[in-house]
């Protein structure tokens, strides 16, 4: 089978495409024929050794997939060959066949195409966990989404609307903000041209936003925190901007707000039943059109480096998906 391999740590152009044997599933595992493998920002970090998870070399990037069960390992019940499934595996999906722990499988809805189904687990799973479990966002509250045109940001716009929030999408250009509006954003802020704090305050009549969803970090963190409402919740999702911000703790005190970390990978390991319930909820929303799962483009395995390069340079508008 074909596999995109990271044989030495480096940028996307160091990846190679190789022929390797089809693996055999072990106890509690299934072999899945990959129909689509979605890429995420953390894939650009993991291939350079800059992510908290550091797989042994060689490995394949792409942590989420949609495919068909090809074989069952010993002791696996409740699934059968040919069943279409979605799974999060951390890394290893950028290949023709992947090994998946059976307890990571989610049935893929019939009305959801492969690319969109593949892109559900990480960005939407993270976002529902962030907004529902960590922020406990309520209908009518105001949600500020930073980096709103990326895969995670667009997921936050859609999930925020599904949960009844008023969504303010923040991004760095008019075309990115137009994409966020298409996803359902109520208001937009161009932080390349506007003062982020002042604009967020103006859009909330001086009150501030109830929840900040921040997958960017860097220089955006402090002005967003300064625009948070009394007893607001600031969600730390990631650092796509490159820099980990130093948040002034006096602002947290003065606003009576919470800064809450969102570590979705640890959540699904520690609370698999709650994770499964979240995924079932998301799959239902995707199937009935409540969320649309924006796909920017699909690529063959031979163009994996190009796709990851677009993510690294923050050119992606929604999910990028490899289709073997």
């Amino acid at each position: 089978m074909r596999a995109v391999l990271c044989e030495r740590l480096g940028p996307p152009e160091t990846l190679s495409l190789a022929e390797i044997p089809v693996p055999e599933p072990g106890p509690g595992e299934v072999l899945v024929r990959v129909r689509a493998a979605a890429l995420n920002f953390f894939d650009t970090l993991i291939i350079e050794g800059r992510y908290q998870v550091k797989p042994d070399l060689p490995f394949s990037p792409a942590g989420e997939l949609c495919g068909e069960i090809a074989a069952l390992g010993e002791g696996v019940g409740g699934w059968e060959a040919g069943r279409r499934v979605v799974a999060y595996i951390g890394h290893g999906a950028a290949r023709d066949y992947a090994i998946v722990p059976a307890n990571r499988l989610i049935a893929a809805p019939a009305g959801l195409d492969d690319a969109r189904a593949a892109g559900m687990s990480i960005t939407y799973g993270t976002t529902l966990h962030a907004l529902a479990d960590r922020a406990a966002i309520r209908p009518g509250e105001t949600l500020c989404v930073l980096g709103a045109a990326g895969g995670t940001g667009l997921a936050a716009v859609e999930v925020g609307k599904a949960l009844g929030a008023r969504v303010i999408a923040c991004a760095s250009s008019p075309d990115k903000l137009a994409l966020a509006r298409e996803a359902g954003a109520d208001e937009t802020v161009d932080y390349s041209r506007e003062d982020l704090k002042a604009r967020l305050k103006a859009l909330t009549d001086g009150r501030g936003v109830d929840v900040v969803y921040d997958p960017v970090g860097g220089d955006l963190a402090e002005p967003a925190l300064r625009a948070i409402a009394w007893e607001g919740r600031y969600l730390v999702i990631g650092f796509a901007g490159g820099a980990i911000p130093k948040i002034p703790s006096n602002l947290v005190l003065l606003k009576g707000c919470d800064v809450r970390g969102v570590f979705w990978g640890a959540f699904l390991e520690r609370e698999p039943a709650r994770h499964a319930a979240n995924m079932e909820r998301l799959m239902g929303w995707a199937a009935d059109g409540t969320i649309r799962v924006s796909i920017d483009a699909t690529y063959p395995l031979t163009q994996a480096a190009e796709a990851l390069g677009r993510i690294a340079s923050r050119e992606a508008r929604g999910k990028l998906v490899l289709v073997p």
Side-chain angles (χ1 to χ4, degrees):
M1 70 171 187
R2 298 168 306 153
V4 176
L5 293 182
C6 177
E7 298 178 286
R8 58 186 177 91
L9 299 177
E13 55 266 28
T14 63
L15 296 172
S16 61
L17 186 66
E19 285 286 340
I20 63 173
V22 176
E24 294 287 335
E29 297 177 335
V30 300
L31 178 68
V32 174
R33 183 174 73 83
V34 179
R35 295 169 57 155
L39 299 172
N40 294 272
F41 178 74
F42 80 86
D43 287 305
T44 69
L45 303 178
I46 200 170
I47 63 174
E48 294 189 0
R50 297 192 294 121
Y51 192 58
Q52 58 259 38
V53 176
K54 295 177 170 55
D56 293 334
L57 298 172
F59 68 90
S60 295
E64 56 186 341
L65 60 85
C66 176
E68 294 176 348
I69 295 176
L72 304 175
E74 181 183 348
V76 175
W79 298 99
E80 64 280 340
R83 186 78 177 274
R84 187 165 163 266
V85 293
V86 169
Y88 165 75
I89 58 174
H91 63 274
R95 49 181 60 193
D96 289 322
Y97 289 88
I99 295 293
V100 180
N103 61 7
R104 293 284 182 89
L105 297 174
I106 302 290
L112 193 61
D113 65 72
D114 295 336
R116 293 171 66 226
M120 291 288 296
S121 295
I122 296 173
T123 54
Y124 286 84
T126 295
T127 299
L128 185 57
H129 171 54
L131 297 182
D133 300 329
R134 300 295 291 140
I137 198 166
R138 298 180 292 273
E141 287 194 310
T142 300
L143 168 65
C144 162
V145 179
L146 304 180
T152 304
L154 288 170
V157 172
E158 292 190 84
V159 173
K161 291 300 296 180
L163 293 171
R166 176 187 179 225
V167 178
I168 302 175
C170 307
S172 60
S173 67
D175 63 313
K176 291 180 178 180
L177 293 174
L179 190 62
R181 281 196 178 275
E182 290 177 13
D186 299 288
E187 304 286 351
T188 58
V189 178
D190 184 343
Y191 46 64
S192 70
R193 305 180 183 186
E194 301 175 278
D195 182 293
L196 179 61
K197 173 194 168 185
R199 186 62 179 148
L200 290 174
K201 284 281 194 175
L203 289 171
T204 56
D205 297 323
R207 178 180 177 276
V209 297
D210 298 294
V211 177
V212 174
Y213 181 98
D214 182 9
V216 181
D219 295 336
L220 297 177
E222 185 171 332
L225 181 61
R226 289 184 179 277
I228 207 166
W230 174 253
E231 294 189 339
R233 288 86 76 201
Y234 193 106
L235 300 173
V236 180
I237 310 298
F239 313 104
I244 298 175
K246 294 178 173 60
I247 293 177
S249 58
N250 65 309
L251 293 178
V252 180
L253 183 153
L254 293 172
K255 292 176 174 291
C257 66
D258 294 339
V259 177
R260 301 182 183 180
V262 181
F263 191 176
W264 176 76
F267 164 71
L268 71 89
E269 292 287 350
R270 291 170 179 266
E271 302 187 59
R274 291 181 68 192
H275 160 66
N278 280 355
M279 289 305 300
E280 293 292 347
R281 188 179 189 185
L282 288 167
M283 291 295 169
W285 280 347
D288 69 15
T290 299
I291 58 177
R292 65 178 189 173
V293 191
S294 299
I295 302 298
D296 182 322
T298 59
Y299 293 82
L301 289 180
T302 54
Q303 295 179 17
E306 178 184 340
L308 285 168
R310 285 192 61 206
I311 294 174
S313 60
R314 300 181 66 182
E315 296 175 12
R317 305 290 185 265
K319 298 290 289 192
L320 299 184
V321 180
L322 301 178
V323 181

